[in-house]
Amino acid sequence: MNVFSSKDKAYPEALAEVCNRAARQHAKIETRVKRILKNVERNGDAAVARYVKKFDGLALSPKKFLVSSKEIRQAYASLPRADLQALQFAARRIRAFHRKQRVSTWVSEEKGVKLGQLITPLEVVGLYVPGGKALYPSTVLMNAIPAKVAGVPRVVMCSPTSSGAVDPCLLVAADLAGVDEVYRVGGVQAIGALAYGTKQIPRADKIVGPGNMYVAAAKRAVYGTVDIDMVAGPSELLVIADESADPAHCAADLLCEAEHDEEARVYLVTTSTAFAKKVAREIRNQLPKLTRRHIAAYSVGRYAKIFVVSNLDEAFDVANAIAPEHLEVLLPRPFDYVKKIRHAGAVFMGAHTPPAVADYVAGPNHVLPTGGSARFFSALSLDDYIKRTNVVAYTQAQLKVVTPYVTRLAAMEGLQAHARSIESRGS
């Protein structure tokens, strides 16, 4: 890991590089993605099947897109009992946390004026679950459970497969989360199907879930036709620690995030040069023992950085400037510093709270803003699956009270019909 002291000349440039890390899609990718989306919009299931054959090597009839209830029953039968219990435990924890986020329709009344909001769930949510280098049943739980808690009546899931069979752990997770339909379709073509609708795959009101750069570009391209959760970038972890922290724990947590994929970003901000060297040594020692060591090694070698700062105030300034997806505070009294944290997707406090616990079972959502977007985005929540519709009702008497103000404001804006719509009531 590259180490930069705040006293070094190279420090400002290294920090600026991290702060400006947000990935930019190449025009070549955008052009290719838009071409696929346009084909799916025009030709529906036939185009989806064509791209499934081209990209996944799977000849699949549109009538076979949908995973059958028999396949889901078989998934339960084939899943080891311990795996099922782990998924069930995680599902209970995630559901319990998100139930606390529920909001209800409300109306208030004062002097003849009723104001309020209707809270209604989205009707159809599309969940994208990637295939490829790893399986993510936790992603299924984290995206689908809040939708169902919010009251979304129809959640459909798309996931790619080269064999034609969706992995049992994904199917069981989908069933536990309340997913209504699972389609063995992935890639840009799945995003297009969810955005525009086909005969086999319903049009969604919102698309959620992670994916590779092509899926991310597709989500960005269809935004406005449908809503999306966010355009997620590579996984990130920033650890703030002093010399009291265990370097082995710190290194393990950094590698935990680095093993996601080669583009993952991990950073350590510390007040101790000696601790920085110990963590770097621990990473070298732990890397060879990982099954995904080549992925983690690439991530660490290309992107990881250690920033050595003068004090903890400076450490939190660095963290806020970077606005990481995950922020871990390895300090003896971490809650003494809560008010210093302004920008982070999720925060993990103290030596006994590794980020992995929240990836799976803590309960809060692990779908988090990346690339510095924690400055203005929040974690996935029930708010992502509901609509708020304003309600306004005036009595004749109260309309008369506000008439001079409305007509004056309408005149200021040159909107005569606005004023007349008020005056026509005889106020």
Side-chain angles (χ1 to χ4, degrees), residues 378-394:
S378 303
L380 193 74
S381 72
L382 256 65
D383 285 344
D384 289 284
Y385 298 103
I386 62 173
K387 297 179 298 177
R388 299 172 186 266
T389 303
N390 293 335
V391 178
V392 181
Y394 269 68

Side-chain angles (χ1 to χ4, degrees), residues 140-415:
V140 179
L141 300 178
M142 290 287 182
N143 283 273
I145 288 175
K148 282 301 181 180
V149 171
V152 175
R154 191 177 186 186
V155 177
V156 301
M157 176 176 131
C158 287
S159 188
T161 169
S162 57
S163 65
V166 179
D167 192 274
C169 71
L170 296 182
L171 291 181
V172 171
D175 191 62
L176 291 173
V179 171
D180 298 281
E181 299 146 44
V182 179
Y183 297 91
R184 54 185 116 242
V185 174
V188 175
Q189 58 271 21
I191 301 301
L194 292 170
Y196 306 119
T198 71
K199 288 184 179 180
Q200 299 297 326
I201 300 174
R203 177 177 179 173
D205 299 312
K206 184 164 190 168
I207 301 173
V208 300
N212 61 21
M213 67 177 70
Y214 290 95
V215 169
K219 287 174 67 177
R220 186 184 293 109
V222 299
Y223 175 64
T225 300
V226 293
D227 191 16
I228 62 172
D229 50 352
M230 61 185 79
V231 179
S235 298
E236 304 169 353
L237 170 64
L238 186 150
V239 178
I240 293 177
D242 62 13
E243 65 281 352
S244 69
D246 187 325
H249 292 168
C250 183
D253 293 347
L254 292 168
L255 288 173
C256 165
E257 210 62 38
E259 75 170 350
H260 271 290
D261 65 67
E262 290 89 346
E263 297 299 310
R265 316 294 169 93
V266 295
Y267 314 106
L268 169 63
V269 183
T270 180
T271 53
S272 168
T273 300
F275 181 77
K277 292 178 179 178
K278 290 177 183 177
V279 171
R281 189 181 310 121
E282 276 292 335
I283 286 178
R284 289 194 296 272
N285 293 339
Q286 293 182 29
L287 255 175
K289 303 171 186 176
L290 300 177
T291 55
R292 293 167 65 87
R293 57 186 172 275
H294 299 299
I295 293 172
Y298 186 93
S299 164
V300 170
R302 184 171 182 182
Y303 298 113
K305 290 180 174 61
I306 298 177
F307 296 103
V308 180
V309 296
S310 301
N311 53 60
L312 289 175
D313 284 342
E314 189 177 346
F316 282 95
D317 287 342
V318 170
N320 286 322
I322 293 174
E325 177 188 21
H326 303 91
L327 172 62
E328 183 175 3
V329 183
L330 287 179
L331 299 173
R333 297 168 59 90
F335 279 91
D336 288 353
Y337 303 93
V338 163
K339 292 183 179 179
K340 295 183 181 294
I341 300 169
R342 298 193 306 277
H343 307 305
V347 183
F348 308 92
M349 308 296 277
H352 304 293
T353 316
V357 73
D359 282 344
Y360 297 114
V361 301
N365 212 286
H366 78 196
V367 180
L368 305 167
T370 59
S373 62
R375 291 179 291 112
F376 46 84
F377 271 129
S378 303
L380 193 74
S381 72
L382 256 65
D383 285 344
D384 289 284
Y385 298 103
I386 62 173
K387 297 179 298 177
R388 299 172 186 266
T389 303
N390 293 335
V391 178
V392 181
Y394 269 68
T395 62
Q396 184 179 26
Q398 282 302 309
L399 183 61
K400 183 176 182 179
V401 171
V402 302
T403 289
Y405 303 107
V406 176
T407 55
R408 188 63 187 170
L409 288 166
M412 290 168 62
E413 296 187 351
L415 299 174

Side-chain angles (χ1 to χ4, degrees), residues 90-103:
R92 287 196 299 271
R93 296 284 297 167
I94 296 164
R95 189 170 286 111
F97 177 84
H98 287 86
R99 280 175 175 162
K100 296 176 183 177
Q101 297 178 334
R102 282 174 168 161
V103 290

